Amino acid sequence: MLQSFRSKLKIYLMSDKYNPKVIEKKWQSFWDNEKIFESKADPNREKYYILEMFPYPSGKIHMGHVRNYTLGDVIARYKRAQGLNVMHPMGWDAFGLPAENAAKENNISPKDWTYENISTMKSQLKQMGLSLDWSRELATCDEKYYHQQQKLFLNFFRKKLIYKKESLVNWDPVENTVLANEQVIDGKGWRSGADIEQKKLSQWFFKITDYAENLLTSLDKLEKWPEKVKTMQKNWIGKSIGCEITFNILSNDAKLKTSKLQIFTTRPDTIFGATFCALSPFHPLVDEILEINPKIGNELSQLRAQKINEESISKNEKIGINTNIFIEHPLIKDKKLPVYIANFILMDYGSGAIYGCPAHDQRDLDFANKYNLDIIQVIDPKSQETFDGVNAITDDGVLINSDFINGLTVFDAKKVIIDKLAELKVGEQKINYRLRDWGISRQRYWGCPIPIMYREDGEVIEVPEDQLPIKLPSDIDLSIPGNPLDNHPTWKYTKCPKTGMNAIRETDTLDTFVDSAWYFLRFCSPDSNDAFNEDESKYWMPVDQYVGGVEHAILHLLYARFFTKALEKKSFDEPFESLFTQGMVCHQTYQNKSGNWVYPDDIKEENRKIIQISTDEEVFEGPMESMSKSKKNVIDPETIIKSFGADAARWFMLSDSPPEKDINWSESGIQGSWKICQKIWTLINVNKEYLSSNHCNEDLDLSDQAKELMYLSNRCLNAVTNGIEKFQMNVAIAKIFEFVNGLSKFRVHKKNDEVALCSALKILIRIIEPMVPHLAEECWSITGASGSIISEPWPEVNQSYLEKNDVIVVIQINGKRRAEINVEKDVTEEDVYEKIKNIKNISDAISKRNIVKSIYVPNKILNIVLN
RNA sequence: GCGGAUAUGGUGGAAUUGGUAGACACGCUGGUUUUAGGUACCAGUGAGGCAACUCAUGGGGGGUUCGAGUCCCUCUAUCCGCACCA
């Protein structure tokens, strides 16, 4: 029997081979032609909306996309098999800075560059065999899309959710342009090398802070979001309950004398420890101080040039300017606090001014020590630590040196102080959010134009809806420094539709995060004349499963949530029911002697050395890092698909590493994936004769061997189902390996074996389809079935095969494993003792000592405790 | 600095949630084949032993328990985020 199987295998392998190139193309065109993945709203069917974060069309897909879209596709195909009405759309996050950069470098228009990339990447995605509904495809740079976005903008504008204010940008004085943070390297412009200034510009903002509380509290409703992401958003919103205190300014200057200073603090309990006050360099009061005291101008511009964020605040040296102005302590008569301008105060947080209590805040303490300011300890910490003058005490404790709040706890003291300040009408409790309004102005060309114009009489006018969309001009000159729309000779000049007065268009464009804040909604009705169709979105929304990179944990997801909440006429409050954030794709890096990075396909191994092929020089392994062009540790998915096929690439992406963790790409890994595809294909071909339907009658009595196979297949089916449901694709893959290994060893001896084999193989084909769809389709056609495996329902686990009569009970002595026995299910403790009598090492141990205790967990374990 | 997470063989990782640690894969070692080679197949892969068996082990230390990778305390290390890249 064995011999005949072997010869059959050999003959088979000689004649034909697994050829992904042919079968993948074949099934891709089948799916396309039959429009298998196009979805329609159907109120009689339960829907499932699965979405992966749409890509930026940068040129080619990369391994990160392969991983992201494979994961989503497994879910999409699995849910389809479960009988749900699945929508799985794809589009393009097509506006953005790289298109402008590429345009400058290659002398091609951003639009042409973008659409060429889209076309390339679309064909690459198709080669991956993704079950995408391309009939809903959209690109955010498409006029049809940004037309609707401009309408949404006006809608929000009318709802007073959009306003203009002065705000700081990174300004490159040589290029005359605003830079993104990533374009500022060590304080210098990435192209010009010029020192970057912080410049104030009037810019548009979304009032996302109106929704701060809502965005925070409804996080609790998002049960299927990773805790990590929710924590990040919570911290980002940064709700804190504190106190706003108004201080009188003491100055000889008439104007300043009458001004007041607002300070926000979360620690009003430390007010008796306050010894100074610090203003943000951008605080409005600073401008007034500068007028009176122009001498500080130099120092001030230095402070203003510094990049301030929370990280730099806690790390950098604290620097301040003494203004020689004082404020009056509200609770201590005649106490004056010096006012400094300091580099560690954020204008955007609280009121841009603080009072410093050095003993209980590290930043304040560092500052006080540097400028020899008073330090007063006002809290006696629970932890008993004594104040050393270098480390601030931030622990909870009891108030000291604090007049009428002495002896109170921090918690109680806060309340008493707030009440007292309120009574004196100089302070009140205030809730403050770290979340700032969303700045949406970009001084760039390749983005959605803002439908606003400025009339010559100073009025800000909406562009009427019937004049939308405001289209981007195609004849732009990107070589001139500055904002291309502003530079355009004619584009910005227009007339007020009501009065006929001259007007100038807004030349800023929208942040691309606006584009992605509602695209999931547009997919529900991509051709609607409104931003979204009420009925369609009511059926499809919310997105049941959203899959993407954790790098979008805060901004994109928060903005999308904000948009969803701010929209009108919708039946949902949150956009994404369930969120999954996948890990990155990493690869070994290689460096030569001079430290230059080397491409992995430019190396070979020779005599245990790694040699660069092109130069014949020795290279060395660097760290394992996420694939990036700069480190040259990239593998092109297209090359992989060409040599191993999409199914092998998909398999690799799902195997080994859990989806939420980083995966390390390796040559041996992809080869292993190819091997298993080959193995499954061979397995099906070799057993072709058993796969016709008349073999698959399950009513027959099965032999023990066949029952074992049925146990194996049902256990695997169960594990794969659970694995996919729980996003543990790596576990599902491991179980399929087990199943395939078991199947390869199985030989048909009797008629009944054929039945089990047929059933097991059909289960195998069905459950691999979400992972390796082309292979599954091909195998399915080999069975002689007509049509597509996709229309086959997901099999039900047959519980009766999962229940075994025999179980293994482990025998422990003092908690250490000493033996295991095979017994019938649910036997009693006595029966187990009876059985282990004959096991020498156990009976020896028992006879030598006394049994103190015996713990028996039926069907699992017997632990005998000896003295 | 603040906030969050993680730690299991040579490697990626698994473990029905307190009950046989190391499933599965990669790598490595030996072998088989009318195998040119990549391939396929078989066996081994914590240590000791021919073997029955014994011992060790989950970043370090401590605790709870009949029993701990899993629960508690503590120390250490690493990774991620901290507002104009998408």
Side-chain angles (χ1 to χ4, degrees), chain A residues 436-452:
Chain A
R436 305 208 291 260
D437 278 335
W438 172 13
I440 46 172
S441 283
R442 296 291 182 271
Q443 293 70 32
R444 309 238 161 83
Y445 165 71
W446 194 231
C448 171
I450 296 172
I452 292 287

Side-chain angles (χ1 to χ4, degrees), chain A residues 484-733:
Chain A
L485 287 182
D486 200 32
N487 291 338
H488 191 278
T490 55
W491 184 84
K492 66 180 172 186
Y493 301 107
T494 182
K495 295 223 184 290
C496 169
K498 280 180 243 162
T499 62
M501 278 194 252
N502 285 332
I504 287 181
R505 292 195 190 285
E506 174 60 77
T507 56
D508 287 354
T509 50
L510 288 174
D511 177 10
T512 55
F513 274 123
V514 180
D515 310 339
S516 56
W518 67 285
Y519 78 106
F520 45 88
L521 200 49
R522 184 70 185 165
F523 275 136
C524 300
S525 48
D527 298 317
S528 171
N529 291 326
D530 298 312
F532 61 97
N533 173 288
E534 258 183 271
D535 293 336
E536 293 278 341
S537 64
K538 191 173 178 182
Y539 177 74
W540 290 113
M541 287 297 289
V543 174
D544 293 274
Q545 181 66 60
Y546 197 32
V547 187
V550 73
E551 64 272 22
H552 293 293
I554 300 173
L555 295 183
H556 163 58
L557 289 169
L558 197 68
Y559 295 155
R561 294 181 62 218
F562 159 67
F563 244 70
T564 304
K565 286 170 188 290
L567 287 169
E568 284 165 344
K569 292 185 183 176
K570 34 96 189 177
S571 57
F572 41 91
D573 183 50
E574 284 285 341
F576 312 119
E577 175 78 15
S578 178
L579 173 71
F580 188 88
T581 52
Q582 95 275 1
M584 293 179 296
V585 182
C586 300
H587 194 279
Q588 183 72 56
T589 51
Y590 300 97
Q591 276 174 298
N592 64 14
K593 271 181 199 145
S594 23
N596 297 325
W597 303 102
V598 176
Y599 284 107
D601 35 2
D602 190 18
I603 60 142
K604 59 177 177 186
E605 258 193 88
E606 231 170 52
N607 306 326
R608 305 206 168 198
K609 279 185 176 175
I610 311 168
I611 306 293
Q612 183 173 7
I613 299 166
S614 54
T615 60
D616 218 31
E617 267 179 55
E618 185 173 4
V619 292
F620 306 92
E621 288 192 349
M624 186 71 76
E625 290 201 55
S626 83
M627 287 189 182
S628 75
K629 280 180 195 159
S630 60
K631 302 255 164 79
K632 295 193 174 172
N633 60 338
V634 285
I635 301 287
D636 182 7
E638 201 163 335
T639 318
I640 294 300
I641 290 173
K642 269 189 191 130
S643 40
F644 296 96
D647 281 337
R650 292 170 62 116
W651 182 278
F652 181 83
M653 282 305 172
L654 300 165
S655 60
D656 286 355
S657 293
E660 69 277 11
K661 291 184 75 175
D662 289 352
I663 193 167
N664 293 330
W665 182 272
S666 71
E667 180 69 17
S668 55
I670 182 68
Q671 295 215 352
S673 303
W674 189 85
K675 276 188 218 168
I676 185 77
C677 290
Q678 160 88 290
K679 198 169 173 177
I680 291 171
W681 188 79
T682 309
L683 186 67
I684 299 297
N685 275 287
V686 164
N687 292 300
K688 212 170 176 173
E689 59 181 290
Y690 305 118
L691 276 160
S692 63
S693 55
N694 53 355
H695 279 297
C696 290
N697 180 352
E698 282 194 43
D699 293 338
L700 286 171
D701 276 343
L702 296 178
S703 66
D704 283 354
Q705 196 198 8
K707 270 187 192 155
E708 189 61 35
L709 186 65
M710 295 306 285
Y711 168 75
L712 182 67
S713 50
N714 279 279
R715 202 178 52 144
C716 176
L717 168 62
N718 195 28
V720 171
T721 308
N722 286 335
I724 296 176
E725 292 275 0
K726 284 155 65 185
F727 254 96
Q728 295 182 307
M729 316 306 176
N730 56 322
V731 180
I733 292 275

